[in-house]
């Protein structure tokens, strides 16, 4: 190679050299935010292996070890990642990732010390990116939830069929509202989001909105504070497909429910589709406006039951396939026979096995599976919810549960309410704001005050024994 050629090559290198130093700085800023929000082990498993490669035009390019990591991050940490990007880059931030999958045939070897950003694999899924810019209508849907990867089984057949019909003709069937109910981790969120994703993709309707009753409530409360309730309501009235998850959360929140009731009516009148999920059937949603419950019967309510063994096996096999994991059938059968009531736990089991295998270099054996299944059963024992605490405390004091969420200042109710809040802080990961919302939309400062009152009372011996026996009951009931 002559001198001029070398010179040209060097200048070219300069021009197309990825801006690694800047990428590292930007990623470092993101990491700081991420670390504040997740545990050390999770950070180590999912974020530490990410390598920043380039930063250009508000776009950060990173390398991620495998499909599975990306899938997991996308499902569990999407919001956090967006937040970190927004914070360290700004509104126009974009994240492009490439999968560092050495097994893939199409991997292009790095040339001239440059990492090829495009074409890591021909599949376009590897060039997906996250955009923070919110100028478009934000649907809040997670693309992961689709009909394609929702396994049909006896327990969910009817719900799935109804969801499918609605997805093909939103507002055009008699299933309006579509009300899907059932226990935790059985696929309600998956199914209602699948409807949204399918509508977006196949039908020329853009304003599809997914939210949770909790988020709706928080936004409503915020809008009162900011004097913008009208904007809040008007916004919801412009939506074509409104999907609200976990509406049992509306119980006892009168003015939020009232606002929702009016939005519901006006959307329904316009022939817009409404899709709701709940952990109970409409008739058991005590503490919710009767008028609203009767509206739910206008459409179709359908339940999801726990999956049978064959469905559980099918779901696990499908997950292994998407994660690119090879696990022998004996192990799959063991997990499916021992985790029976909750698909989220089935999935959690796989993730844990994978994490152990990749972090500690353990081989995926039946023994390892047994260990993990056992640890999941233990986690379950200690997962206590705000609802369970409210139920136990109101039973203990023999008062109606609604009183915990009501405005009454009667001494006995106030005390039961304070004790419940104290346990919510102690036993759940809920924020003060969330706890307040579960108690009739109280402010976080009220929650702090309640917790302090209980802590002061703990100086009295008599009170300590009350608290201890409530605590035992909570632990037993959960
Ligand atoms: P719920 O909202 O009822 O608590 P989710 O919809 O969050 O439950 O489901 C929990 C997990 O199980 C999700 O990751 C979801 O993708 C998965 N899942 C649930 N049902 C199915 C199914 N039939 N096929 C495949 N995955 C499922
Ligand atoms: Mg859900």
């Amino acid at each position: 190679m002559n001198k001029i050629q070398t010179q040209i090559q060097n200048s070219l290198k300069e021009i197309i050299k990825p801006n690694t130093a800047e990428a590292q700085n930007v990623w470092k800023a993101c990491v700081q935010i991420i670390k504040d929000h997740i545990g050390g082990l999770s950070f180590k498993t999912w974020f530490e292996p990410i390598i920043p490669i380039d930063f250009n035009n508000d776009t950060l390019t990173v390398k991620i070890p495998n499909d599975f990591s990306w899938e997991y991050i996308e499902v569990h940490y999407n919001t956090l990642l967006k937040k970190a990007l927004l914070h360290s880059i700004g509104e126009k931030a974009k994240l492009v990732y490439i999968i560092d999958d050495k097994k893939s045939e199409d991997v292009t070897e790095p040339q001239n010390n440059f990492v090829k950003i495009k074409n890591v694999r021909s599949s376009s899924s590897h060039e997906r990116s996250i955009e923070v810019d919110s100028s478009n209508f934000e649907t809040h849907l997670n693309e992961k939830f689709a009909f394609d990867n929702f396994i049909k089984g006896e327990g969910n057949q009817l719900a799935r069929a109804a969801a499918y019909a609605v997805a093909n003709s939103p507002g055009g069937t008699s299933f309006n509202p579509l009300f899907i109910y059932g226990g935790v981790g059985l696929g309600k969120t998956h199914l209602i989001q699948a409807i949204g994703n399918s509508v977006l993709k196949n039908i020329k309707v853009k304003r599809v909105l997914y939210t949770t009753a909790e988020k709706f409530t928080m936004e409503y409360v915020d809008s009162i504070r900011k004097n913008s309730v009208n904007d809040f309501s008007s916004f919801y009235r412009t939506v074509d497909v409104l999907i609200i998850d976990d509406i049992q959360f509306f119980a006892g929140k009168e003015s939020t429910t009232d606002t929702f009731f009016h939005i519901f009516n006006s959307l329904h009148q316009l022939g817009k589709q409404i899709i709701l999920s709940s952990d109970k059937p409409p008739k058991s949603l005590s503490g919710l406006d009767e008028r609203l419950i009767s509206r739910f019967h206008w459409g179709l309510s359908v339940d999801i039951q726990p999956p049978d063994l064959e469905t559980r096996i099918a779901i696990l096999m499908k997950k292994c396939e998407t994660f690119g994991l090879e696990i022998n059938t004996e192990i799959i059968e063991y997990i499916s026979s021992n985790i029976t009531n909750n698909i989220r736990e089935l999935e959690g089991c796989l993730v844990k096995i994978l994490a152990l295998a990749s972090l500690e270099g353990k081989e995926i054996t039946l023994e390892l599976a047994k260990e993990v299944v056992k640890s999941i059963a233990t986690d379950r024992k200690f997962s206590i919810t705000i609802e369970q605490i409210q139920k136990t405390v109101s039973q203990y004091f023999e008062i109606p549960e609604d009183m915990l969420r009501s405005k009454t200042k009667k001494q006995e109710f106030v005390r039961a309410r304070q004790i419940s809040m104290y346990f919510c802080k102690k036993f759940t990961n809920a924020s003060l704001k969330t706890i307040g919302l579960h108690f009739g939309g109280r402010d976080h400062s009220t929650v702090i005050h309640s917790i302090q009152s209980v802590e002061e009372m703990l100086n009295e011996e008599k009170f300590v024994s009350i608290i201890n026996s409530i605590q035992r009951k909570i632990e037993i009931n959960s």
Side-chain angles (χ1 to χ4, degrees), residues 75 144-145 149-153 156 182-191 245-246 277 304 311 315 318-319 342-345 347:
V75 174
K144 287 268 93 85
F145 297 123
N149 58 8
F150 188 84
I151 306 283
K152 242 194 301 187
N156 63 34
V184 186
L186 295 184
K188 301 184 295 296
T189 299
H190 188 135
L191 205 48
D245 210 348
D246 291 320
S277 88
I304 299 192
T311 316
I315 290 173
K318 177 87 189 175
K319 300 279 165 191
N342 186 327
I343 297 168
R344 188 174 302 127
E345 282 182 2
E347 218 176 48

